[in-house]
Amino acid sequence: MRKVASAGCVLALGLLAGCTATSDGTSSPTTSSSAMATGTRPASPGATASSTGVATRSLTDVVTGLDAPWGIAFLPSGDAVVTLRDQKRLVLVNADGKIRKVDGPGADQLVDLVEPGGEGGLLGVAVLDATGDEADIALYATTADDNRVLRATLSGTSLGTVRPILTGIRKAGNHDGGQVAVGPDGFLYVTTGDAGHGADAQDEDSLNGKILRLTFDGDPAPGNPFGTAVWTLGHRNVQGIGWAPDGRMFAAEFGQNTWDELNLIEPGSNYGWPDVEGQAGTDGFVDPLRQWATSDASPSGLAVTDDAVYLAALRGERLWRVPLNPDGVGEPQALLVGELGRLRAVAPAPDGSLWVLTNNTDGRGTPRAGDDRIARVDIS
């Protein structure tokens, strides 16, 4: 891999195309084994570079046995903070696959506060600031009443008191949003789903169906286009956001039944949902840079490096790579097709590789031995 750019990947992490059992497929509930570090697997068979593409040089399990992991964010130490959606807890994972459970008063609060259901639970995570062994983090969580953004200080493996900085985001079993990421401008970006109420995506006064831009205390960030928390509107369900070295912001969006999208995000823009899906050429709405059939993508997490955007596909069970050009993006290339099953998140790791989270134990996948896992992917 080349030098890693700023990325919001918490990857965060994404819901399903159409957000229905029929659009993404279901399986019976699963139980996962105890998490453990694992070794190296061979590179994907058939992973050969085209004249304009790349190949996976190696695919290595960092850890296996995770229960529905959702979000991921790296600390300055190189450890990754990972959210477990349904268990309502955090774990730390290092490059050697060692897992440490996060405890402390904040961890106890999360157990009491978070209410998983459908696609809701403990979702995205972002590192706001870090000094020494302490890091302020933001979390996107589903409660009994709403979705909200929480803030707490992580000291080693102890999470301090959790406090809400934004509340009142409508929750739902589908289209629940959930990503949080810090942009290169130093503000916190939050992605929300329409929660099944498409009209909210077009309502500037609603928090749903939006990308929000906040201070670390949860206030609308200075310079927001509407003077509120709203940065962009007209979204169905964004779950992955990230930034290129030149400052361009990208977002992965779940379509309904036809088109999933990769969008270039510009403040104040309207991305069309629920009036349009995919490239419609309609005045007043921004068309996606690239679109995919929902069966090929259903993109959740997103990562940006210095040369490409990567999208983790759930239903599509692949990692999409979209090359960056100075004036746009190139043709998408599918990697890891069927190798790992459903992919929830992708994040640039400190060593220049990509870490990919699978989601085969979330009730909609077909678990394999060792699922769910974090895999290290080297691209050449």
Side-chain angles (χ1 to χ4, degrees), residues 290-310:
R290 290 290 182 268
Q291 63 183 26
W292 294 265
T294 55
S295 58
D296 291 332
S298 301
S300 183
L302 176 150
V304 187
T305 65
D306 67 340
D307 61 354
V309 181
Y310 292 86

Side-chain angles (χ1 to χ4, degrees), residues 269-328:
S269 293
N270 189 327
Y271 291 83
W273 179 257
D275 298 305
V276 299
E277 180 181 358
Q279 296 171 348
T282 302
D283 288 345
F285 297 144
V286 177
D287 277 349
L289 296 172
R290 290 290 182 268
Q291 63 183 26
W292 294 265
T294 55
S295 58
D296 291 332
S298 301
S300 183
L302 176 150
V304 187
T305 65
D306 67 340
D307 61 354
V309 181
Y310 292 86
L311 298 88
L314 287 164
R315 188 179 175 194
E317 298 190 354
R318 65 199 69 187
L319 182 67
W320 283 104
R321 179 184 184 272
V322 183
L324 286 173
N325 296 329
D327 57 351

Side-chain angles (χ1 to χ4, degrees), residues 66-104:
L66 297 174
D67 185 1
W70 208 98
I72 179 172
F74 281 95
L75 298 167
S77 66
D79 289 354
V81 185
V82 178
T83 64
L84 303 181
R85 187 191 70 183
D86 300 336
Q87 291 189 355
K88 306 182 288 186
R89 65 185 180 95
L90 304 173
V91 294
L92 300 181
V93 180
N94 71 13
D96 295 326
K98 179 181 178 181
I99 294 180
R100 292 179 292 163
K101 181 179 177 180
V102 173
D103 52 20

Side-chain angles (χ1 to χ4, degrees), residues 67-277:
D67 185 1
W70 208 98
I72 179 172
F74 281 95
L75 298 167
S77 66
D79 289 354
V81 185
V82 178
T83 64
L84 303 181
R85 187 191 70 183
D86 300 336
Q87 291 189 355
K88 306 182 288 186
R89 65 185 180 95
L90 304 173
V91 294
L92 300 181
V93 180
N94 71 13
D96 295 326
K98 179 181 178 181
I99 294 180
R100 292 179 292 163
K101 181 179 177 180
V102 173
D103 52 20
D108 294 337
Q109 281 182 275
L110 290 177
V111 171
D112 293 335
L113 179 66
V114 179
E115 187 170 295
E119 295 162 355
L122 187 58
L123 305 179
V125 57
V127 177
L128 304 178
D129 193 14
T131 303
D133 197 36
E134 288 193 344
D136 284 337
I137 64 172
L139 298 163
Y140 189 105
T142 307
T143 73
D145 301 316
D146 60 5
N147 285 313
R148 56 185 59 183
V149 181
L150 309 171
R151 181 175 174 179
T153 299
L154 179 65
S155 300
T157 59
S158 179
L159 188 67
T161 301
V162 170
R163 64 181 179 92
I165 61 171
L166 181 68
T167 62
I169 304 167
R170 190 197 298 265
K171 71 168 190 172
N174 300 316
H175 314 192
D176 204 46
Q179 189 57 271
V180 288
V182 176
D185 57 4
F187 293 109
L188 178 65
Y189 290 75
V190 180
T191 73
T192 68
D194 72 3
H197 296 260
D200 284 355
Q202 290 295 322
D203 182 355
E204 292 179 11
D205 294 325
S206 171
L207 294 174
N208 285 87
K210 308 294 190 300
I211 296 177
L212 311 176
R213 179 172 173 262
L214 309 172
T215 69
F216 289 173
D217 290 323
D219 297 321
N224 282 2
F226 307 108
T228 66
V230 175
W231 188 242
T232 58
L233 69 159
H235 298 291
R236 181 176 178 272
N237 197 17
V238 172
Q239 299 228 319
I241 51 176
W243 291 264
D246 60 9
R248 283 179 291 171
M249 181 180 179
F250 297 93
E253 177 128 16
F254 290 90
Q256 177 69 34
N257 296 313
T258 309
W259 298 116
D260 294 322
E261 302 174 357
L262 173 65
N263 283 300
L264 177 67
I265 299 300
E266 297 180 330
S269 293
N270 189 327
Y271 291 83
W273 179 257
D275 298 305
V276 299
E277 180 181 358

